[in-house]
Amino acid sequence: MKHITQHYIGGKFTDSVGQEKFELINPSTNEVIGTVVLGNEEDAQRAIAAAKEAFKTYSRTTAEQRAEYLQRLHDAILARADDHAQALIKEYGGPAQMAQFLVKASTDLILSAKESLKNITFKEMVGETEVSMNPVGVAGHITPWNANILYFCNKTAAALAAGCTVVTKPSEMSALQTQVIMECVNAANLPAGLINIVNGRGDVVGAELTRNPDVAKISFTGSTAVGKSIASTGAATLKRVTLELGGKSAHIVLGDADLSQAIPFILGSGFMNSGQACIAGTRILVPENRLEEVKSALKQAVGHLKVGLPEQPDTAIGPMVSKTQYQRVQSYILKGIEEGAELLTGGPGHPEGLEQGNFVKPTIFVNVTNDMTIAREEIFGPVLCVITYKTEQEAIDIANDSPYGLAGYVSGSDIQHARKIAEQMEAGTVSINTFGHNPFAPFGGVKQSGIGRENGTYGIKSYLEYKSIF
Ligand code: NAD
């Protein structure tokens, strides 16, 4: 049992002013595995003040100095790779395979920011005018529970690369993972105030970051509803915002798709991170004349997926993060049935033998229409909707008929043709036949999936503002 009582402010572990105690629960067993003392507005203000002070000198460092700090941060985080993975598995039930991938991807993101620094021209002449790019100021980072380390590393690396100092408020449900991160930040021995981390609630610490005039930019990853409230509160002080929000991504299975490749791709992208992934491909668009074939292949493949304890290496689907999230997913499954969708596999309740945790049966609905609640709203659990189409144009129209536009997926044998379909999908990223991950390529959403882009030079530039000197 771990009791976390401190934040990381001004280069030191610092006792919390806020005294609310929050229980940390293992989602596989629903047992209490720790507690965290949540910060209040004053903790947030102290962290902002430390970041503001550090910004005075850090904003004037050279790109080479910042690259060195990034390398140190990378090394310190990588040195505790196992501890990060264990915390992730224990605290939110991320399956072991996914946990290891996430830790590696996170540290790669720090290196990609370091590398990308070489491709940014911070100063250039435009005629007789000197145009420079300068860090915006203190950055406030607000992150979700579903892959704490990934968001921490990506946002922190981009901000530090640009010359910004940072205050991060991770999800209150990620305190064990955050504790390991704080220890790594401390071990990296960076100048005091560069990275500050405050545990706390969104409507307390997060709201203070969003409101505080000394915070110049907010980078937020989380739900669309909270993203909208951040954009609206931040507008009072004209904060720059990067918003990485929810999704309801479509996977278009083309007429020429090879199902031996498409089915693992559908399940891999749909049930990624136990379905708790913003980029999950949850609307599966299938040509009408291939429906029966797809149904039987999906049913058979799901039968081979292991739902189980996240620490077991062959587990594909672990528990939902919390009882609340479990109940939310259950209510969507019931809603799908009530609205007339047909269960191909899965359904309400726990999988047999896993009643003690927040485990959900991997569920696939067929006979879904795109106006059903389960096709429109983000469920954030292992629930997929199969929707049929007659023509490719109809498939594209259905894919784009969503308030969201985060990711898209295409399965098809003719790659050039699949690429043409991908071009017409309203989404920030589209993967063809296999899941794409490139830490240098921009990541983000269109429509209500967000504003702005992260990764590589694109991410760093979102922390910079131009200045012209005549
Ligand atoms: P959430 O929106 O409930 O919380 C995210 C963060 O915002 C948490 O740290 C929370 O404490 C904070 N917060 C809550 N209310 C706030 C307020 N009023 N002001 C400031 N901060 C506040 O999301 P969640 O449940 O933690 O995560 C799941 C959601 O995140 C899903 O919708 C998912 O799609 C989305 N997500 C998006 C991406 C992406 O890159 N687009 C990645 C992962 C998750």
Side-chain angles (χ1 to χ4, degrees):
M1 180 87 73
K2 183 121 191 156
H3 300 289
I4 298 166
T5 57
Q6 293 183 311
H7 311 295
Y8 192 77
I9 299 177
K12 301 197 281 283
F13 284 96
T14 308
D15 288 339
S16 187
V17 178
Q19 283 303 313
E20 182 189 347
K21 226 183 219 178
F22 183 82
E23 286 186 338
L24 304 165
I25 315 271
N26 180 336
S28 302
T29 59
N30 278 313
E31 284 164 5
V32 179
I33 49 172
T35 60
V36 55
V37 175
L38 300 177
N40 63 14
E41 286 86 351
E42 196 179 330
D43 293 294
Q45 286 157 6
R46 288 179 179 192
I48 295 165
K52 187 180 175 185
E53 184 58 31
F55 183 76
K56 289 180 193 159
T57 44
Y58 187 65
S59 56
R60 303 174 68 82
T61 51
T62 62
E64 290 72 28
Q65 281 170 306
R66 300 201 291 271
E68 198 225 306
Y69 291 147
L70 288 173
Q71 186 67 50
R72 272 204 244 161
L73 180 65
H74 167 270
D75 297 349
I77 290 189
L78 193 61
R80 300 276 307 273
D82 274 352
D83 296 335
H84 294 293
Q86 287 313 317
L88 216 142
I89 292 166
K90 215 167 154 187
E91 193 169 39
Y92 92 79
Q97 290 168 7
M98 186 71 195
Q100 275 144 14
F101 164 80
L102 282 172
V103 175
K104 172 79 173 68
S106 304
T107 48
D108 284 352
L109 282 163
I110 303 181
L111 289 186
S112 76
K114 181 191 166 203
E115 273 307 297
S116 300
L117 265 176
K118 295 180 189 150
N119 302 324
I120 297 180
T121 310
F122 283 89
K123 223 176 241 180
E124 61 183 357
M125 293 305 291
V126 177
E128 299 290 294
T129 309
E130 183 191 275
V131 176
S132 58
M133 283 201 284
N134 303 283
V136 291
V138 173
H141 293 166
I142 302 174
T143 57
W145 46 262
N146 69 332
N148 192 35
I149 188 167
L150 191 79
Y151 308 118
F152 171 81
C153 288
N154 203 10
K155 291 180 195 301
T156 306
L160 292 192
C164 292
T165 55
V166 172
V167 179
T168 296
K169 189 216 81 70
S171 168
E172 54 277 28
M173 285 191 278
S174 302
L176 293 177
Q177 299 162 75
T178 300
Q179 180 65 23
V180 185
I181 291 174
M182 288 198 223
E183 288 165 12
C184 294
V185 170
N186 193 46
N189 202 20
L190 303 174
L194 241 57
I195 302 174
N196 305 277
I197 304 174
V198 181
N199 284 309
R201 288 190 186 276
D203 57 358
V204 179
V205 175
E208 179 61 31
L209 289 178
T210 310
R211 240 183 350 244
N212 195 299
D214 287 335
V215 175
K217 175 190 166 92
I218 295 282
S219 179
F220 168 77
T221 298
S223 61
T224 294
V226 173
K228 286 179 186 175
S229 91
I230 285 175
S232 127
T233 310
T237 45
L238 282 186
K239 289 198 192 341
R240 280 76 186 131
V241 286
T242 297
L243 303 174
E244 299 287 357
L245 310 177
K248 190 75 195 177
S249 301
H251 188 141
I252 301 183
V253 180
L254 292 170
D256 67 347
D258 169 0
L259 291 194
S260 68
Q261 193 176 12
I263 298 295
F265 185 34
I266 291 172
L267 297 181
S269 54
F271 292 154
M272 182 193 310
N273 210 16
S274 312
Q276 301 176 122
C278 52
I279 51 175
T282 49
R283 290 183 298 142
I284 318 303
L285 311 190
V286 176
E288 215 171 56
N289 61 3
R290 297 196 70 184
L291 178 64
E292 291 310 316
E293 200 190 338
V294 170
K295 272 166 60 174
S296 72
L298 279 174
K299 194 164 180 172
Q300 200 188 5
V302 172
H304 291 114
L305 289 181
K306 179 170 165 186
V307 184
L309 295 176
E311 50 270 37
Q312 292 170 349
D314 54 343
T315 290
I317 301 179
M320 302 295 94
V321 69
S322 61
K323 262 193 180 155
T324 312
Q325 184 63 15
Y326 169 83
Q327 274 148 4
R328 201 177 111 91
V329 176
Q330 294 297 320
S331 72
Y332 275 112
I333 294 175
L334 295 175
K335 187 85 185 162
I337 296 169
E338 188 189 307
E339 289 188 351
E342 184 193 322
L343 273 174
L344 176 70
T345 181
H350 292 91
E352 219 182 295
L354 290 169
E355 291 78 8
Q356 77 288 5
N358 308 320
F359 296 90
V360 170
K361 295 177 193 162
T363 297
I364 302 183
F365 281 107
V366 292
N367 284 345
V368 178
T369 53
N370 203 42
D371 56 353
M372 290 181 182
T373 309
I374 52 169
R376 300 214 73 76
E377 296 182 11
E378 184 183 48
I379 298 175
F380 228 57
V383 181
L384 307 184
C385 301
V386 174
I387 302 172
T388 55
Y389 68 84
K390 288 191 175 66
T391 63
E392 284 182 354
Q393 187 54 53
E394 191 189 0
I396 294 162
D397 291 344
I398 297 171
N400 292 342
D401 175 18
S402 169
Y404 295 110
L406 191 57
Y409 302 87
V410 183
S411 285
S413 295
D414 177 345
I415 299 294
Q416 288 317 318
H417 184 64
R419 195 177 283 271
K420 292 233 149 38
I421 302 291
E423 283 167 5
Q424 295 172 75
M425 293 175 82
E426 293 169 357
T429 60
V430 184
S431 296
I432 301 172
N433 288 340
T434 181
F435 182 71
H437 168 69
N438 176 353
F440 292 95
F443 176 82
V446 299
K447 300 195 278 187
Q448 295 189 33
S449 285
I451 296 176
R453 291 294 178 269
E454 296 193 288
N455 290 6
T457 54
Y458 309 92
I460 298 171
K461 284 182 181 170
S462 75
Y463 289 85
L464 295 167
E465 289 280 17
Y466 289 104
K467 177 180 194 173
S468 302
I469 299 187
F470 302 99

